[in-house]
Each structure stands twice: as structure tokens, then as C-alpha cells.
Amino acid sequence: MPTELRPIRNPEPHSAAPHVRKGVTRLTVDVPSSYRSAPPRRVQPASRWSTPEFIFYGVIFCLVVPIMVWIPVTLSSPSHDNYTLYKRRLSPGWLFGRQVDNSDMQYRNFRNNIPTLGALVFAFLGFKTTWLHFAQMTTYSLYAARLHFLLLFSFCLMLGLHGASVIKIFVILSVNYAIAKSCQGSRLGPLLTWVFNAAVLFANETYDGYVFASIHPSLAALDSIEGIYPRWHVGFNITTLRLISFNMDYFWACRRTGPVNTESVMTEKQRANTPHPLSTYNYQHYIAYALYPPLYIAGPIITFNDFMWQLQRPLSISSRSILGYCVRFLVCLLTMELVLHFMYVVAIKDTKAWSGDTAAELSMIGFWNLIVVWMKLLIPWRFFRLWALADGIDPPENMVRCMANNYSTLGFWRSWHRSYNLWIVRYIYIPLGGTQNALFTTVLVFTFVALWHDLSFRLLAWGWLVSFFILPEIAANHFLPPSKYGEYWWYRHVCAVGAAFNILMMMAANLVGFVIGTDGISYMLQQLLRTSKGLWFLAAAYACLFIAAQVMFEYREEETRQGIYRRC
């Protein structure tokens, strides 16, 4: 994919030595593949943090950020005129005697089930330890014992979650496996794989997960065996990505020439791109991968090749790393609790309780709703990745940047759902030509992403808006490449002007796709563009975003000085 408009970074690989981060880069989410050790292609500028320009930016930050927090807190006060319109959506809280906005259904399902999920994790790890302990007393190899434990636990988990619908899941998995094995290295394999899995997604939505009684009246009794989560098809889109990954990895393995990789240590990218012997692509491994308990419900997404390399050659994940990641998860969880207890922006958005609100208040309702969307996805992803790490599997990290630390549409997409982006690049973007057909592949990718999330016009509009908003960035990279103009003093400021525009467009697209829809964004734009106060606020907001972009640039420059390179 084309790079976003910003200074050149050092692309050379990082050495295997551990990297010690200093200063503000301690806040950067650790992704080992981001480290670089070779000399940069250009002289790195000295740190600007202590210059008059950035001291001024710091003063603005100290003034503006508290106001951004104060506005939604004020709107969430029981004394506010609109409070009665949304108070029915609030629930009893546990912080400082305040109520909590637990009205977002997706996050509520996770939040209310944290104790159950925690018990499931401890049960998984406890049973695994016991299983492997007894396996050591037999002729069982540890690898075979671990594989069989995963198969048994996965089946029990499916049965508990989905009841008799586990039959439907295994039918779909088996048909997909049969397509891969029957086609092998034939080009018909990828075509049938994509057609079948797309048909499954549409059929799941159309027939609401299917009903046994509609197949035959004698099967009606199976419909009563529902399990804890009978709507299995709602989250099956995640499993679909794993089915496609297995078939495509097997297809490329069948067409491989040359020996299989025998290196004892491989990077994340090498594990994903390096095929296994064909015997590895069997039904047991396929089921263990597709239904892997820590990642089954929500991901992150890991390719079949990567999963099997880690299963066969376990990584060395220290207890200290796992504990540190656990602390990071708990901090994120507590931050979300503070937001939900003091900012009732989700309830305000759902009830459209914004009558009489100013342009600044409307904008903060939208902004903090985007923050909630970011956190409600980040927290489950962190939780399930933590579970996988405790099991010895290291899936790709999602959300390696805060939502408010993005200025590039392309960079935002790479950092938001990073594991999904890596999947998209491997299985769609590169096979369709990549940068050789950038416009076509970008539109197709975001159309697929939108429909994969939900078969609705709102998300389809989001996909097309994102594709459209990428065009100015691509044009800017073409006409103002950093390789040609990056050394000029004015280049950073021109980039900041474009970045501020980009941020506004990204916020609008994501508000349409994930928060208020096309009707809501239309009302917000009317309040911003058709009133003098709205226009003044928009100008002030643009100036603040210009400053924010400058800080983001410098933060990335600091990362580069510390040997960290990211395309986001």
C-alpha cells in the first residue's frame, strides 16, 4: 500500500537484541517487527519538544483537552435539560455513586460476562496444565497432547456456547475443508473458497443461523438445545476469515517450489508467509486452528501458517511480559469504566438527546462516541490476546495506536484492526495486484470490509467514504513525496494542514459507519456549516487538529530516534 504523507523512515530490519524504549515512546504499544537498527536514510532532526513552537503547542493542549473532557461530563449531568430523555438507558454504577452508561449492546455483552470469561480462562489453563502433566507420564508427545487437548476443549466450548448448532458449524467447516483438499493447487480452489464463504455469510444472515425444523420436522427437537449463545452465526464472520486462511495457505503450499523453512526462529511475517509440509494441512490441525478457544469469539486474527508454526515451535513468552500485558489490559478496562460512569454519550447518541446543544457539544458527543467504539473493541481484543499469550500463542496485536493518535487514513486502517489488515493484505490486496491497481483494490477491499462487518447500507456507505477519503492522501503522496520535499522547512506544516483535513474526514466516515449513521451526520453537519457559531467552532477545531498533527509527527520522529518504525 502507498505510504501516508510524512517523513521517510528507516526500513531496515531490527536486530534480535531487546529494545529499551525511552521517554514518550514508552507509551508505544510493543510490536517487535517495528524495531530497526540500521542508519536512517536521512539525518534525523533534533528533538523539537523543548522548542518555543512545541511549548506553545503544549500550552494549547493543556487548555483544550480538559475542555474536551468537561463538555461531555457536563452534558451527562442530571441537571442538564436533556438528561430526562436518556436517563432510562442508564444502569446502576459502582464508581462514586454514579450511574453507568452500559447501553452499548456489544460492549455490554462483554462487560457483563467478564467474570464468566475469566473463569473460562482459568479453567482452560488449569485443565491444560493437568492434561499435559498426565501426558508426560505416557508415551504421548507434548505436541500431540496439546493438540488433542485443544480439540477436546474446543468441542466442549462449542457445545456449551452453541448447543446443537455445533452440527451446523462442523458441516460448514467440513465443506470448506473438502473444497481445499479436492482442489489442492488448482486455481479453482481460491475461487470456490471465496464463493462458498461469501455464500455462507449471506445465508447465515438471511436464514438467521438456520432452523433445524425448517430442514425437516423430525429435527425440531434440536432447536431446543440452544447453548449459552445460540446466535452462533452473528460472530461467525471471524471464523470465516480463518477458513479462507487455511484454504489459501494450503493452495500456496501445494504450488510451492523449494524446501520448507527449517529456521528455529522466525519473525511474525516469516511465520505467516512460510508454508508447511502438505501433511500439516490436515483436518485435526484445521479444526484446532478454526476453533482455537482464546481467539474463537473475537480474534485477533492469526493465519493458519503462523498458528501452526507457533504450535509446533512454541515461542518463549516470559511471565513478566504476560503480567505487563495484563496490567495494560486492566488500565484500559478501568479507563473505560471512568468514561462510562462520567460521560453518557452512547445513551445521548442512541436517544438523539442533543436538542439545543451547541456545535462544540455535538462534536464532543461524536468524538467521545468514537473513543467508546475504539475502547469497546480494544478491551475484548486485549483480553482474548492475553488469554492466547498465557497459552503460548502470540497473535498479531490490534490497535497499536490510540484512535486520537492518527492522521493518515491508510495508517489508521493499518493500526486499528491490525490483524485484520494483515489478513486483508495477504489474501486480498496482494493477490489483486496491490499498488499496481491501488484504486481498484482499495475500493474492493473496503467494500469487502464493510459487508464483512454487516450487510447494511450504513457500513457500505462507510466503506465507500473511506475509499473516497483515501484519494487525497494518495494524490498528496504523488505530488508532494517526502523523498523530494521532506527536507524543506515548510513541508511539515503543509503535511499538518492535510493531516487536519484527513482527521476530519476520518471522523465523519467512522461516525457514519459505527456511530450515528447518515441521518445523524447530516444533522451534525447542518449545525456546523449553517450557523455562524458552527463555522467559528469548525475553524477553531481545525486549528487544534493542525497542532495535534504536529505533535503526532514529532511523536513518530521520536520513535524513529528510538529505532521504532511504523507505517501508521
Side-chain angles (χ1 to χ4, degrees):
M1 288 186 175
T3 56
E4 61 270 18
L5 191 62
R6 64 175 186 177
I8 298 176
R9 306 292 183 192
N10 167 28
E12 299 302 322
H14 173 63
S15 64
H19 189 92
V20 178
R21 294 174 291 169
K22 302 176 182 178
V24 294
T25 61
R26 292 176 182 272
L27 300 174
T28 301
V29 176
D30 186 50
V31 178
S33 60
S34 299
Y35 296 133
R36 304 290 188 262
S37 58
R41 290 181 177 177
R42 65 177 177 85
V43 177
Q44 293 295 321
S47 173
R48 298 187 179 94
W49 296 118
S50 58
T51 62
E53 177 190 357
F54 275 79
I55 291 174
F56 170 73
Y57 294 160
V59 171
I60 298 299
F61 259 73
C62 291
L63 293 174
V64 172
V65 173
I67 294 174
M68 294 174 65
V69 174
W70 176 78
I71 288 176
V73 170
T74 302
L75 293 174
S76 304
S77 170
S79 61
H80 194 275
D81 293 341
N82 292 333
Y83 181 79
T84 55
L85 300 177
Y86 64 81
K87 69 176 183 179
R88 68 183 186 277
R89 300 187 67 88
L90 305 180
S91 307
W94 61 275
L95 277 176
F96 307 110
R98 290 185 61 90
Q99 291 186 293
V100 61
D101 185 357
N102 199 29
S103 57
D104 184 276
M105 184 179 66
Q106 188 178 20
Y107 186 69
R108 182 172 67 246
N109 288 336
F110 174 81
R111 182 178 183 268
N112 293 352
N113 287 292
I114 287 177
T116 304
L117 289 170
L120 180 64
V121 171
F122 282 109
F124 175 87
L125 296 175
F127 285 139
K128 174 194 168 185
T129 301
T130 304
W131 182 282
L132 296 182
H133 173 74
F134 283 107
Q136 290 178 328
M137 302 178 183
T138 67
T139 57
Y140 243 170
S141 70
L142 284 179
Y143 171 75
R146 188 181 182 193
L147 175 63
H148 292 158
F149 168 77
L150 288 179
L151 292 171
L152 179 61
F153 195 94
S154 296
F155 179 77
C156 293
L157 180 63
M158 294 301 102
L159 199 59
L161 284 176
H162 309 310
S165 291
V166 70
I167 299 172
K168 307 168 191 174
I169 294 173
F170 271 90
V171 168
I172 294 172
L173 265 60
S174 298
V175 172
N176 184 76
Y177 180 79
I179 289 173
K181 285 297 181 176
S182 59
C183 294
Q184 296 185 348
S186 168
R187 293 185 181 275
L188 187 62
L191 176 62
L192 291 179
T193 294
W194 281 97
V195 169
F196 171 73
N197 282 280
V200 165
L201 288 179
F202 278 97
N204 286 352
E205 182 78 12
T206 303
Y207 297 103
D208 198 29
Y210 321 107
V211 178
F212 282 109
S214 65
I215 301 173
H216 195 276
S218 63
L219 301 177
L222 293 174
D223 290 321
S224 63
I225 309 174
E226 294 185 333
I228 299 172
Y229 188 66
R231 291 176 57 80
W232 63 273
H233 58 286
V234 173
F236 195 76
N237 53 354
I238 292 284
T239 306
T240 299
L241 300 181
R242 291 190 280 267
L243 304 192
I244 294 172
S245 175
F246 174 84
N247 284 22
M248 294 301 295
D249 284 358
Y250 179 61
F251 167 75
W252 286 320
C254 289
R255 300 171 69 88
R256 178 194 68 234
T257 57
V260 176
N261 187 296
T262 57
E263 295 181 26
S264 58
V265 178
M266 291 189 287
T267 64
E268 178 184 272
K269 186 174 182 179
Q270 287 174 326
R271 292 194 303 268
N273 294 336
T274 304
H276 296 266
L278 294 184
S279 59
T280 302
Y281 300 86
N282 59 50
Y283 193 72
Q284 281 192 342
H285 292 156
Y286 169 66
I287 295 299
Y289 163 67
L291 304 180
Y292 179 57
L295 306 182
Y296 170 74
I297 296 175
I301 301 156
I302 186 173
T303 66
F304 177 81
N305 282 349
D306 190 358
F307 176 79
M308 285 309 304
W309 282 123
Q310 294 194 50
L311 200 63
Q312 293 172 349
R313 304 175 183 178
L315 302 179
S316 177
I317 305 175
S318 68
S319 300
R320 182 178 179 180
S321 298
I322 296 173
L323 181 60
Y325 197 82
C326 181
V327 170
R328 194 162 195 144
F329 162 75
L330 293 174
V331 170
C332 293
L333 184 65
L334 181 58
T335 302
M336 182 64 150
E337 287 298 304
L338 288 170
V339 170
L340 296 181
H341 277 80
F342 286 90
M343 302 179 187
Y344 304 146
V345 290
V346 177
I348 293 172
K349 176 260 297 184
D350 289 341
T351 57
K352 298 184 179 179
W354 47 49
S355 176
D357 289 350
T358 65
E361 290 170 336
L362 285 171
S363 297
M364 287 303 99
I365 291 171
F367 174 80
W368 283 100
N369 264 287
L370 289 177
I371 290 290
V372 169
V373 169
W374 174 68
M375 294 195 71
K376 79 173 185 179
L377 295 174
L378 176 141
I379 291 170
W381 280 335
R382 291 283 196 272
F383 176 87
F384 291 116
R385 185 169 184 267
L386 175 62
W387 181 1
L389 290 173
D391 185 44
I393 298 293
D394 185 4
E397 179 72 277
N398 287 331
M399 293 184 169
V400 295
R401 296 278 189 209
C402 174
M403 189 215 76
N405 185 17
N406 285 278
Y407 59 85
S408 160
T409 308
L410 293 171
F412 175 75
W413 170 242
R414 295 187 188 109
S415 66
W416 174 272
H417 197 168
R418 178 172 170 267
S419 65
Y420 188 30
N421 176 63
L422 295 173
W423 188 96
I424 289 286
V425 169
R426 176 166 171 77
Y427 299 113
I428 299 181
Y429 189 77
I430 292 178
L432 290 178
T435 54
Q436 296 178 357
N437 302 300
L439 181 59
F440 168 74
T441 51
T442 298
V443 174
L444 189 62
V445 160
F446 281 103
T447 299
F448 170 80
V449 169
L451 295 177
W452 175 82
H453 276 91
D454 187 16
L455 302 178
S456 67
F457 172 76
R458 188 176 77 171
L459 279 176
L460 192 60
W462 166 83
W464 290 340
L465 279 173
V466 171
S467 301
F468 177 74
F469 293 154
I470 284 175
L471 295 180
E473 187 173 334
I474 294 176
N477 273 290
H478 177 74
F479 293 109
L480 289 171
S483 58
K484 185 175 181 180
Y485 299 102
E487 302 301 328
Y488 291 93
W489 68 268
W490 51 263
Y491 184 74
R492 174 168 58 91
H493 303 291
V494 171
C495 288
V497 171
F501 175 78
N502 244 10
I503 294 169
L504 287 174
M505 295 302 99
M506 286 192 292
M507 290 179 67
N510 284 289
L511 284 171
V512 169
F514 298 101
V515 181
I516 57 179
T518 51
D519 293 338
I521 197 68
S522 176
Y523 175 80
M524 184 175 288
L525 289 176
Q526 287 179 11
Q527 300 303 308
L528 285 172
L529 302 178
R530 293 187 179 182
T531 64
S532 58
K533 290 183 178 179
L535 291 172
W536 276 108
F537 169 77
L538 192 61
Y542 196 91
C544 291
L545 291 176
F546 173 87
I547 292 173
Q550 295 280 12
V551 174
M552 294 180 209
F553 293 162
E554 185 59 21
Y555 185 92
R556 285 156 178 77
E557 290 288 357
E558 184 65 30
E559 287 181 333
T560 302
R561 287 189 283 269
Q562 298 291 331
I564 303 172
Y565 168 80
R566 285 190 182 160
R567 299 177 66 204
C568 61

